[in-house]
Amino acid sequence: MKWLNTPAHARWLEAEADRTFEFGRGAKVPTGFGWLNNQGVVRDDKNTELWITSRMVHVYSLAALMGRPGAGALVDHGIRALNGPLHDDVNGGWFAEVNADGPVDTSKPGYAHCFVLLGAASASAAGRPGARELLDRAIELFERRFWDDENQISLESWDAAFTETEAYRGGNVNMHAVEAFLVVADVTGDDVWLHRALEISRKIIHEVARNNEYRVVEHFDETLTPLFEYNSDNRAHRFRAYGGTPGHWTEWARLLLSLRQSLLNRGLDAPDWLVEDATGVFRAAVRDAWEPDGNPGFVYSVGWDGEPVVRERIRWVVVEAMGGASALYSVTGDDEYEQWYQRFWDYAKEHLIDTENGSWWQELSPENVVSTEVWDGKPDIYHLMHCLIVPRLPLAPAMAPALAAGLLDTVTS
């Protein structure tokens, strides 16, 4: 029995998406969107984070394009926050964190700036007022400050005045750069973003991960030499975990296949390794991280020998595995990926979906009990779109442009 590309399963996904959209509405605060606790209330101990606000602009752009009343107003609120309290009017770019009194963390993280690109591009696809102007500003800033044209890679971060940048190069920021570039390419019609996405993918996946048993390296120095022992003393870091982060491997699988389809749609060369490597990173993730300790679910991180390091089950990991499985099924038609997709959903339904408080639990212990070793609360709903909406869309164009083009539920097996 198939689920993917069937009307019955699409109806179930739509109902869960609506439940998720409703939960996220509670994140609205005067300075953007806040960090939600397990009951869907903004946490007083957290500042307004640039990455959360930008991701929520993206999410509610999707909701607006799906015809959800009130979603457009949330997008507009996020745009005002990105043009207002979160924007650095002196140095350019956006502050990492603000509160009601102003900037708290004035650094300029590339990770969060990728989400500004993503949110602004999705809002542009949704036709929200001021979105294209925000996107143009974000593009100009990213190209001037973050894009290393010589090495075809994104820088990691800057200080407030853009005078000092880290020597570190991160796999996480560059993966999300690929994600944002796909949407920017669709919205602007400029192929340069696809070429940049391909070069990042070539370096991180085809040249490094492929030769590392498809265990994706997250940390590099400024010469793009892997730093295999990076954060060995802080192994459960939220954004720079030690070792391999298999949730990113399955996320890469989807992005590689979306990049391939975007290139094909434009009549550009799409190298065969995009499918080969998407298959490789997905299979490596289930090989190393799915139930390695005998308990259901994905572990958060593994060492370079494939053994678990942080065994907590983080919700975004299985969510990205669903997106990766659906993408691979779309390209290959192999029932193996349909079976994995169903297995991941069965796990999520039993352990992660919180029908009492809303949304999904962010983290479970190795025994699948709610825990807070890595994450506390339910900060945002961005990753959930990759299991609730991605399986209902073609691989390209990107999510918001595809919804704007009326492509929801147009894919057939």
Side-chain angles (χ1 to χ4, degrees):
M1 182 181 68
K2 288 188 174 182
W3 293 3
L4 286 164
N5 306 327
T6 62
H9 184 59
R11 287 194 296 271
W12 194 92
L13 294 176
E14 182 132 337
E16 184 63 13
D18 282 337
R19 196 179 73 91
T20 302
F21 289 144
E22 288 304 309
F23 180 86
R25 289 177 186 270
K28 181 182 176 183
V29 295
T31 47
F33 292 93
W35 184 305
L36 295 173
N37 68 12
N38 284 333
Q39 288 71 44
V41 177
V42 173
R43 290 176 53 172
D44 293 334
D45 62 331
K46 293 288 188 181
N47 300 312
T48 301
E49 305 243 16
L50 176 61
W51 62 273
I52 289 180
T53 294
S54 301
R55 286 177 9 167
M56 294 293 262
V57 169
H58 162 68
V59 165
Y60 283 103
S61 295
L62 303 179
L65 285 162
M66 294 173 69
R68 272 41 187 180
L74 291 173
V75 178
D76 299 345
H77 169 75
I79 291 173
R80 286 192 295 272
L82 291 172
N83 284 329
L86 283 161
H87 188 257
D88 184 345
D89 295 334
V90 175
N91 300 297
W94 288 267
F95 300 119
E97 296 179 28
V98 301
N99 63 19
D101 297 321
V104 176
D105 180 349
T106 60
S107 67
K108 306 293 168 56
Y111 175 86
H113 279 71
C114 286
F115 286 116
V116 176
L117 275 177
L118 177 68
S122 294
S124 296
R128 301 312 304 175
R132 184 54 194 260
E133 292 80 6
L134 176 64
L135 176 59
D136 289 342
R137 183 189 293 187
I139 287 173
E140 189 277 331
L141 185 284
F142 200 92
E143 290 190 315
R144 183 159 53 93
R145 298 298 193 184
F146 287 99
W147 183 246
D148 178 354
D149 200 54
E150 179 181 355
N151 294 299
Q152 294 288 290
I153 205 87
S154 175
L155 303 183
E156 180 68 23
S157 69
W158 287 91
D159 65 348
F162 290 103
T163 56
E164 294 183 11
T165 186
E166 288 184 79
Y168 171 90
R169 301 290 181 266
N172 194 7
V173 65
N174 277 283
M175 181 187 70
H176 286 294
V178 169
E179 175 189 27
F181 290 1
L182 294 179
V183 192
V184 172
D186 286 330
V187 171
T188 64
D190 190 342
D191 292 344
V192 70
W193 298 100
L194 298 183
H195 295 305
R196 290 170 176 170
L198 183 61
E199 287 308 305
I200 291 173
S201 303
R202 187 190 310 279
K203 288 177 170 63
I204 293 178
I205 302 300
H206 191 59
E207 295 177 1
V208 178
R210 187 185 182 105
N211 294 305
N212 191 44
E213 298 185 71
Y214 280 115
R215 294 183 179 116
V216 179
V217 176
E218 299 283 343
H219 315 298
F220 301 84
D221 67 15
E222 58 190 332
T223 68
L224 301 183
T225 300
L227 302 174
F228 289 109
E229 293 305 307
Y230 186 90
N231 259 350
S232 59
D233 58 348
N234 186 14
R235 298 190 167 205
H237 196 282
R238 288 174 180 166
F239 298 108
R240 300 187 188 184
Y242 165 78
T245 310
H248 286 161
W249 310 356
T250 58
E251 194 167 359
W252 267 114
R254 174 176 59 83
L255 291 171
L256 292 173
L257 296 176
S258 290
L259 171 58
R260 171 182 175 270
Q261 193 60 52
S262 293
L263 291 166
L264 292 174
N265 286 358
R266 301 286 188 91
L268 302 172
D269 179 56
D272 292 340
W273 59 259
L274 288 167
V275 177
E276 296 167 4
D277 290 355
T279 303
V281 290
F282 181 90
R283 289 183 173 171
V286 295
R287 175 197 69 205
D288 288 358
W290 179 256
E291 303 182 348
D293 51 11
N295 294 326
F298 279 101
V299 297
Y300 176 52
S301 63
V302 298
W304 300 118
D305 57 0
E307 292 299 311
V309 174
V310 177
R311 296 193 301 120
E312 274 64 28
R313 275 61 170 160
I314 313 297
R315 79 172 177 198
W316 70 261
V317 178
V318 72
V319 164
E320 293 300 341
M322 294 174 193
S326 68
L328 280 160
Y329 178 75
S330 176
V331 170
T332 69
D334 189 334
D335 285 341
E336 170 192 0
Y337 301 112
E338 166 79 31
Q339 291 161 13
W340 276 117
Y341 178 82
Q342 293 188 22
R343 191 173 182 183
F344 298 150
W345 262 115
D346 284 340
Y347 167 79
K349 183 69 173 77
E350 181 174 356
H351 297 287
L352 282 166
I353 295 178
D354 182 2
T355 55
E356 181 178 349
N357 300 292
S359 191
W360 297 26
W361 298 113
Q362 180 73 358
E363 176 184 316
L364 304 176
S365 72
E367 295 74 34
N368 285 297
V369 176
V370 177
S371 64
T372 58
E373 180 69 20
V374 184
W375 289 94
D376 187 11
K378 301 172 181 173
D380 77 334
I381 58 176
Y382 151 82
H383 279 287
L384 290 170
M385 300 302 106
H386 300 155
C387 70
L388 298 174
I389 299 178
V390 160
R392 301 175 61 195
L393 291 170
L395 290 170
M399 294 175 71
L403 289 170
L407 298 178
L408 189 67
D409 295 328
T410 59
V411 179
T412 58
S413 299

